[in-house]
Amino acid sequence: MTLSCLSGNVVAALLRLGYEDDPRLWRAVGWLLEIQNADGGWLCPYWKAHVRDKHGCFFGTICSLEALAEIPPARRTPALEKAAARGAEFLLRHHLYKADHHGFRTIKAGWLKLGFPWFYRYDILRGLWVLTKLGYQDERMADALALLREKRTPNGKWALEVTPFGRMQASLEPEGRPSKWITLYALWVLRGVHKSRLRNRLGP
């Protein structure tokens, strides 16, 4: 595999399926660490579209960072922790969806639309979920969290705003309707944020 997004997704899936002791998985993890970009994000070094790029790709970054987030804390080496911290800082530096060198304008409007399954796609919910899973509670997540809360419908759920047309035999849920998957991940994020704030308030 020579794509960071594909490799990250495969590693994350294998970890969820219980393959954390397979040496082939750890070779893939090692490769992800080797190709991490100088800015903390990830690119696809063997893909022609990225040959001249220097700025990390959000798609490659979120998939690779999600893979690192799936590694049990007890198995995270200092090198893994450092790579995860650099990847998280890449997202935080952009407030999850803003251009850090252009007045913090929205990079892509599509990243504000919540979709599932994610595949290689990036959006604010996936970014928030991965950062929360890694234990982050940072003020630079505030704008994305506010957008997520605004999208909550009066019945307490979140709608599926975009679907991966053409990439599946059938859609998991109808677009524009309340989504079990989006609601699950949104509540997971908000619960994690609440628990983190409670810990900070009460102390150790």
Side-chain angles (χ1 to χ4, degrees), residues 104-115:
F104 286 99
R105 294 176 296 181
T106 298
I107 297 174
K108 289 184 181 293
W111 294 356
L112 308 183
K113 294 184 177 181
L114 310 183

Side-chain angles (χ1 to χ4, degrees), residues 1 3-16 28 31-32 60 62-68 70 126:
M1 292 182 290
L3 299 177
S4 56
C5 52
L6 175 60
S7 299
N9 280 342
V10 170
V11 168
L14 289 173
L15 284 165
R16 293 179 188 122
W31 181 78
L32 288 174
I62 196 61
C63 297
S64 301
L65 195 57
E66 184 175 322
L68 300 187
E70 286 294 336
R126 191 177 189 182

Side-chain angles (χ1 to χ4, degrees), residues 72-136:
R75 302 291 297 269
R76 295 177 192 167
T77 64
L80 284 171
E81 293 282 7
K82 181 179 179 180
R86 292 178 62 217
E89 179 58 28
F90 174 86
L91 295 182
L92 292 168
R93 188 165 63 248
H94 293 86
H95 294 221
L96 282 79
Y97 66 95
K98 298 181 180 182
D100 59 337
H101 293 304
H102 300 282
F104 286 99
R105 294 176 296 181
T106 298
I107 297 174
K108 289 184 181 293
W111 294 356
L112 308 183
K113 294 184 177 181
L114 310 183
F116 195 85
W118 286 317
F119 294 122
Y120 63 84
R121 184 178 175 274
Y122 178 83
D123 64 35
I124 56 170
L125 177 56
R126 191 177 189 182
L128 286 168
W129 179 68
V130 171
L131 288 174
T132 305
K133 191 173 179 66
L134 285 168
Y136 281 86

Side-chain angles (χ1 to χ4, degrees), residues 17-65:
L17 291 169
Y19 284 86
E20 65 179 78
D21 292 321
D22 194 306
R24 294 169 293 182
L25 179 141
W26 291 102
R27 285 201 297 271
V29 171
W31 181 78
L32 288 174
L33 267 59
E34 288 176 11
I35 67 164
Q36 188 171 20
N37 207 39
D39 62 4
W42 272 266
L43 286 166
C44 297
Y46 306 111
W47 189 34
K48 290 182 179 180
H50 283 172
V51 169
R52 297 182 180 179
D53 286 350
K54 294 183 179 180
H55 191 283
C57 167
F58 274 75
F59 293 174
T61 298
I62 196 61
C63 297
S64 301
L65 195 57

Side-chain angles (χ1 to χ4, degrees), residues 120-172:
Y120 63 84
R121 184 178 175 274
Y122 178 83
D123 64 35
I124 56 170
L125 177 56
R126 191 177 189 182
L128 286 168
W129 179 68
V130 171
L131 288 174
T132 305
K133 191 173 179 66
L134 285 168
Y136 281 86
Q137 174 55 43
D138 191 288
E139 62 181 10
R140 291 169 292 179
M141 297 163 62
D143 290 345
L145 282 167
L147 287 171
L148 182 65
R149 290 190 177 99
E150 288 174 8
K151 290 175 179 289
R152 193 171 194 173
T153 61
N155 63 9
K157 302 175 183 178
W158 280 261
L160 182 69
E161 297 178 325
V162 62
T163 54
F165 286 119
R167 298 186 180 277
M168 299 177 62
Q169 294 296 321
S171 296
L172 295 180

